[in-house]
Amino acid sequence: MNLDSLKSIEYEIALLVRLTTAYSPKLGDLDRSEYLILSEVNENGPLAINVIAEKLMLNISTASRQVGTLESKQYIRRFPDPENGRISLIELTNKGQEILNIVQKSRYNFYSEVLQNWSRVELKQLEDNLIRLNKDFKNRKG
């Protein structure tokens, strides 16, 4: 591997995380963890906390705490898993769906402005490479 490319990639990813974190408060009333959990439950729910933790690479206690925060805001609700009553499943409430829709729209509009000069081919390449990078991160052991 080319060391110069790796140095550049590492720096650009760090900068991207910083820039997206800087803009996030302007894009809605959800922090990154709240947004990711609500999005995951919206796309794949209802989900158990351990599944949320696994999908987002969180430890169970962190996921439980974040789910508790979302529950206190009435964005999600817990209910017993019909197949295993010892497990709680998480689903969005109407209030959770509303806030997620608002924040997603704000984020989509923002990214649409940032990426407005990118061609369809460039956007597809970025999408494919981000999906691949996230998948590779998730598959990395240790």
Side-chain angles (χ1 to χ4, degrees), residues 70-86:
L70 290 167
E71 191 174 27
S72 71
K73 293 179 178 183
Q74 300 178 342
Y75 293 161
I76 60 168
R77 74 173 194 94
R78 298 178 201 230
F79 63 95
D81 182 339
E83 295 176 16
N84 182 350
R86 296 174 294 161

Side-chain angles (χ1 to χ4, degrees), residues 114-125:
V114 170
L115 299 169
Q116 68 183 334
N117 295 322
W118 290 47
S119 71
R120 286 181 186 214
V121 170
E122 291 169 323
L123 289 172
K124 183 62 177 152
Q125 287 173 332

Side-chain angles (χ1 to χ4, degrees), residues 35-105:
Y35 178 76
L36 289 171
I37 289 172
L38 291 181
S39 294
E40 193 65 48
V41 172
N42 185 56
E43 289 297 314
N44 301 302
L47 297 172
I49 293 175
N50 66 318
V51 173
I52 293 169
E54 183 180 312
K55 287 180 172 282
L56 298 177
M57 294 187 69
L58 301 168
N59 64 46
I60 294 290
S61 63
T62 299
S64 293
R65 187 178 65 254
Q66 291 173 349
V67 163
T69 298
L70 290 167
E71 191 174 27
S72 71
K73 293 179 178 183
Q74 300 178 342
Y75 293 161
I76 60 168
R77 74 173 194 94
R78 298 178 201 230
F79 63 95
D81 182 339
E83 295 176 16
N84 182 350
R86 296 174 294 161
I87 296 174
S88 292
L89 296 178
I90 309 303
E91 70 179 359
L92 293 181
T93 62
N94 288 339
K95 184 176 179 182
Q97 186 68 63
E98 287 174 21
I99 190 70
L100 180 60
N101 290 344
I102 290 167
V103 172
Q104 280 178 332
K105 184 174 188 217

Side-chain angles (χ1 to χ4, degrees), residues 13-29:
I13 289 173
L15 182 58
L16 177 63
V17 170
R18 174 67 199 112
L19 293 173
T20 57
T21 301
Y23 281 105
S24 284
K26 300 173 182 110
L27 301 177
D29 293 329

